[in-house]
Amino acid sequence: MNFDPDSTELFGSSAEEMQANELLKYLQHQSPEVLARVARSVSPEIKDIISQNVQGLVGMLPSETFTMQITTDRDNLAGLLASAMMTGYFLRRMEQRMELEVSVADAFGSFRDSGDESSGS
């Protein structure tokens, strides 16, 4: 299967499937700059986890020893893309939650520390 980014039938979708898939339509209408900005906003940790996930799904052989070519059908490729996207969304939300928890804990710790200093005077 060859990927043609200019094809009107992304992942072999029919016209009816394209109309029903609002996310696909939304993504197709985004500028390359917007997509690049979103991709840059992902932390290196998330990129590493997604890379490991995709490599685990596809299989990983050392490139210095093997030349690898993967053949799949449209449905499997679409499933792989969906899996990688969902993993990315999930990991980004968890990363944001972790950052929020750390921020709240720091703010609460600062609040408690300032309260201890004022009561000790």
Side-chain angles (χ1 to χ4, degrees):
M1 173 180 165
N2 293 324
F3 175 68
D4 179 7
D6 297 322
S7 172
T8 58
E9 288 195 20
L10 185 64
F11 301 119
S13 299
S14 67
E16 297 83 31
E17 290 171 331
M18 293 285 287
Q19 289 175 352
N21 193 334
E22 292 298 318
L23 176 59
L24 182 57
K25 287 180 4 184
Y26 176 78
L27 289 172
Q28 288 176 329
H29 288 94
Q30 297 305 305
S31 70
E33 295 80 21
V34 168
L35 297 175
R37 187 178 64 227
V38 170
R40 282 192 305 271
S41 71
V42 176
S43 71
E45 292 84 4
I46 289 179
K47 287 180 184 178
D48 187 47
I49 292 170
I50 292 173
S51 175
Q52 289 175 14
N53 183 37
V54 170
Q55 288 173 4
L57 293 170
V58 172
M60 184 66 181
L61 295 173
S63 60
E64 60 274 356
T65 310
F66 297 93
T67 301
M68 187 155 52
Q69 181 176 2
I70 298 170
T71 305
T72 188
D73 61 26
R74 291 177 175 145
D75 291 337
N76 288 334
L77 182 59
L80 178 65
L81 177 60
S83 173
M85 288 175 65
M86 293 307 298
T87 300
Y89 290 132
F90 172 77
L91 292 171
R92 180 63 185 135
R93 294 294 163 235
M94 292 307 297
E95 184 177 56
Q96 288 174 327
R97 180 182 173 144
M98 181 183 71
E99 291 167 356
L100 179 61
E101 286 180 5
V102 167
S103 178
V104 168
D106 288 348
F108 184 70
S110 297
F111 178 73
R112 283 183 47 176
D113 291 345
S114 67
D116 290 343
E117 290 172 7
S118 63
S119 63
S121 304

